[in-house]
């Protein structure tokens, strides 16, 4: 009798163990492949199969705002010796995730992660193509495909909604740099100069970040008269020309009420501009002769400009910044140094009340790793 009970218990234990193994295998709940680290030098291409990301992709409304970060590193295993890593930083959870790692093959490494679409849209090059294309990387499958081949290259890419990208495109025709939207469904571009019937006489000067702010649904564009911009007197720093600083919506229509004109010499480079509120813009101007950095606040209602103190205490340099709360806090790309501490360079979260810069993702000299650019992505995208 005792022997029969032992056999029965053994059989039942095997059956229970079998069901537990089957349950774990089917749900894959014990497998986590998404990484969270500031010091990841290299990882395989497909990384974001974590439970949190898969849930977010199923329910786009649950995706909270995040920062998409483009990061470059050295990698001798690639043809170019460089690799681009795409991170997301959850603003609510303060959590950094490495989404994918792609060999660098473009003229300029830029891109943006869409958690809702589970894609990365980046500037890439396919085959023997001499120009860059907006390229799609599938975070689920690891597959890549070029979406177009219309321009020479792209200096920034941001997300407006689930089917629209906002880019700065370098034209094949005239090498001019202009903002444009790209429809992911029709795979067609709409250019700012076409929408506003702008001739070749105007030139968009900012070849870097498009600085789209999803809170206000606008970006800052700076444009000049091309003949004046390339004149000998301007380039010898003898005369100042009109720099038109405009807040523009994704429909690309320029409203004259949202333009401020600043007389500027070539040695006074408008190095950075970002929207602070519905009617104000922060400018950083670099004096290339005296190596002086100045900050200005533009009031579009009163059409006025005033010089202000640097908003960022202990900042050594500022490349770009974005605020979502009218200048109370910022995401800042640059370098900070507190007292005798070693200077830190990379992407920070800066609080103007505490005057503290909290590191998000730092540059890594050992692998020539640095933050190339970033963009803040709104809810559900």
């Amino acid at each position: 009798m005792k022997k029969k009970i032992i056999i029965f218990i053994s059989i039942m234990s095997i059956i229970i163990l079998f069901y537990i193994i089957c349950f774990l295998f089917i749900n894959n709940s014990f497998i986590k492949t998404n990484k969270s680290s500031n010091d990841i030098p290299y990882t395989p291409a497909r990384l974001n199969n974590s439970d949190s990301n898969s849930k977010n992709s199923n329910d786009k409304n649950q995706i909270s705002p995040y920062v998409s970060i483009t990061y470059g590193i050295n990698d001798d295993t690639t043809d170019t010796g460089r690799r681009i890593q795409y991170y997301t930083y959850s603003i609510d959870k303060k959590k950094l995730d490495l989404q994918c790692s792609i060999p660098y093959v473009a003229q300029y490494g830029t891109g943006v992660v869409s958690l809702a679409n589970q894609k990365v849209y980046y500037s890439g090059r396919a085959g023997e193509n001499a120009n860059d294309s907006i390229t799609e990387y599938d975070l689920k499958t690891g597959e890549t495909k070029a979406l177009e081949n219309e321009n020479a290259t792209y200096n920034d890419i941001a997300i407006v909604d689930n089917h629209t990208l906002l880019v700065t495109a370098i034209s094949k025709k005239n090498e001019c740099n202009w903002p444009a939207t790209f429809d992911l469904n029709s795979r067609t571009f709409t250019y700012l100069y076409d929408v506003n019937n702008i001739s070749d006489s105007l030139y968009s000067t900012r070849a870097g970040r498009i600085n789209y702010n999803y809170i206000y649904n606008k970006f800052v564009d700076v444009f000049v008269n091309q003949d004046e911009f390339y004149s000998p007197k301007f380039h010898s720093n003898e005369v100042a020309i009109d720099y038109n600083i405009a807040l523009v919506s994704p429909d690309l229509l320029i409203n004259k009420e949202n333009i401020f004109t600043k007389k500027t010499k070539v040695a006074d480079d408008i190095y950075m501009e970002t929207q602070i509120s519905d009617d104000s813009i922060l400018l950083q101007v670099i004096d290339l002769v005296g190596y002086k950095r100045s900050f200005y606040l533009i009031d579009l209602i009163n059409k006025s400009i005033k010089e202000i103190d640097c908003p960022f205490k202990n900042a050594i340099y500022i490349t770009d910044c974005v605020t979502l709360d009218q200048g109370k806090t910022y995401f800042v790309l640059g370098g900070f140094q507190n007292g005798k501490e070693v200077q830190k360079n990379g992407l920070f979260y800066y609080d103007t009340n505490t005057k503290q810069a909290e590191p998000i993702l730092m540059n890594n000299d050992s692998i020539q790793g640095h933050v190339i650019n970033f963009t803040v992505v709104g809810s559900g995208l």
Side-chain angles (χ1 to χ4, degrees):
M1 181 68 178
K2 186 176 181 180
K3 185 176 181 180
K4 289 182 179 179
I5 293 173
I6 292 173
I7 293 172
F8 176 79
I9 293 173
S10 299
I11 292 172
M12 291 302 296
S13 298
I14 292 171
I15 292 172
I16 293 171
L17 181 61
F18 173 78
Y19 276 104
I20 291 173
I21 292 172
C22 288
F23 177 81
L24 289 173
F25 180 79
I26 292 170
N27 284 275
N28 278 323
S29 59
F30 60 97
I31 300 175
K32 297 218 184 247
T33 55
N34 208 15
K35 307 296 181 184
S36 295
S37 173
N38 287 15
D39 305 310
I40 304 174
Y42 167 74
T43 46
R46 273 189 290 156
L47 295 169
N48 75 326
N49 296 320
S50 70
D51 293 339
S52 61
N53 279 337
S54 62
K55 288 177 182 177
N56 282 341
S57 64
N58 291 331
D59 188 354
K60 295 178 181 179
N61 294 326
Q62 292 183 4
I63 300 176
S64 59
Y66 60 93
V67 184
S68 175
I69 309 167
T70 306
Y71 192 88
I73 63 170
N74 279 350
D75 183 359
D76 294 336
T77 66
T78 67
D79 292 339
T80 61
R82 295 286 288 173
R83 180 174 287 277
I84 301 295
Q85 296 183 316
Y86 292 97
Y87 290 85
T88 54
Y89 176 75
S90 170
I91 297 174
D92 293 341
K93 298 178 181 178
K94 295 186 176 182
K95 185 173 181 288
L96 183 70
D97 288 322
L98 177 58
Q99 297 294 336
C100 68
S101 184
I102 303 171
Y104 176 69
V105 291
Q107 295 183 55
Y108 182 73
T110 187
V112 63
V113 178
S114 171
L115 291 179
N117 293 349
Q118 285 291 285
K119 304 286 175 58
V120 176
Y121 304 104
Y122 67 100
S123 182
R125 187 173 299 179
E128 300 298 322
N129 191 355
N131 300 304
D132 294 341
S133 300
I134 294 178
T135 307
E136 177 187 278
Y137 177 91
D138 193 313
L139 290 170
K140 294 179 179 178
T141 66
E143 296 177 352
T144 62
K145 63 179 178 181
L147 301 181
E148 55 75 43
N149 185 33
E150 187 166 321
N151 293 292
T153 191
Y154 300 92
N155 285 339
D156 200 15
I157 302 174
I159 299 177
V160 175
D161 53 48
N162 288 320
H163 58 82
T164 308
L165 301 179
L166 187 61
V167 305
T168 47
I170 307 297
S171 171
K172 286 182 186 179
K173 299 176 182 178
N174 54 21
E175 297 183 352
C176 284
N177 170 68
W178 278 105
T181 56
F182 180 72
D183 189 308
L184 290 167
N185 294 330
S186 64
R187 299 188 184 182
T188 55
F189 287 96
T190 303
Y191 296 94
L192 182 144
Y193 56 80
D194 283 337
V195 172
N196 295 278
N197 296 315
I198 293 176
S199 68
D200 290 341
S201 64
L202 291 182
Y203 179 75
S204 184
T205 65
R206 287 292 285 150
R209 297 225 323 113
I210 203 163
N211 226 326
Y212 173 69
N213 192 317
Y214 80 89
I215 293 291
Y216 305 105
N217 195 31
K218 289 184 176 67
F219 65 95
V220 185
D221 185 47
V222 181
F223 56 94
V224 297
N225 181 288
Q226 187 167 243
D227 292 337
E228 293 178 349
F229 184 76
Y230 285 109
S231 69
K233 285 191 175 182
F234 176 68
H235 277 269
S236 62
N237 206 38
E238 295 178 48
V239 299
I241 66 172
D242 287 343
Y243 272 63
N244 303 288
I245 303 152
L247 280 181
V248 187
S249 300
D251 61 12
L252 303 180
L253 282 170
I254 296 178
N255 184 339
K256 292 182 179 180
E257 298 297 321
N258 289 331
I259 298 177
F260 181 85
T261 301
K262 183 182 185 301
K263 287 285 186 182
T264 303
K265 287 188 174 182
V266 70
D268 295 327
D269 180 33
I270 297 180
Y271 187 72
M272 180 202 76
E273 63 282 329
T274 193
Q275 185 175 7
I276 301 298
S277 67
D278 279 326
D279 46 42
S280 62
I281 301 171
L282 176 68
L283 287 187
Q284 179 184 213
V285 177
I286 305 293
D287 180 348
L288 300 178
V289 176
Y291 300 103
K292 178 188 175 184
R293 177 184 62 188
S294 303
F295 288 87
Y296 296 87
L297 192 63
I298 293 174
D299 183 334
L300 291 173
I301 293 179
N302 297 313
K303 299 297 180 183
S304 63
I305 184 170
K306 66 176 181 178
E307 187 171 357
I308 62 173
D309 293 334
C310 175
F312 315 106
K313 183 181 179 182
N314 300 322
I316 305 302
Y317 70 94
I318 301 295
T319 301
D320 261 311
C321 66
V322 171
T323 179
L324 305 177
D325 52 17
Q326 300 188 22
K328 296 176 183 176
T329 61
Y330 290 85
F331 294 99
V332 181
L333 182 58
F336 286 84
Q337 184 176 20
N338 295 322
K340 295 182 180 180
E341 291 183 6
V342 177
Q343 179 178 330
K344 295 180 180 179
N345 306 307
L347 181 63
F348 299 83
Y349 176 78
Y350 186 85
D351 190 319
T352 58
N353 290 323
T354 64
K355 302 188 186 311
Q356 295 297 311
E358 177 184 329
I360 294 175
L361 182 60
M362 295 296 93
N363 296 351
N364 187 338
D365 292 339
S366 65
I367 54 172
Q368 290 296 300
H370 67 279
V371 178
I372 298 173
N373 55 27
F374 73 95
T375 186
V376 183
V377 183
S379 300
L381 302 178

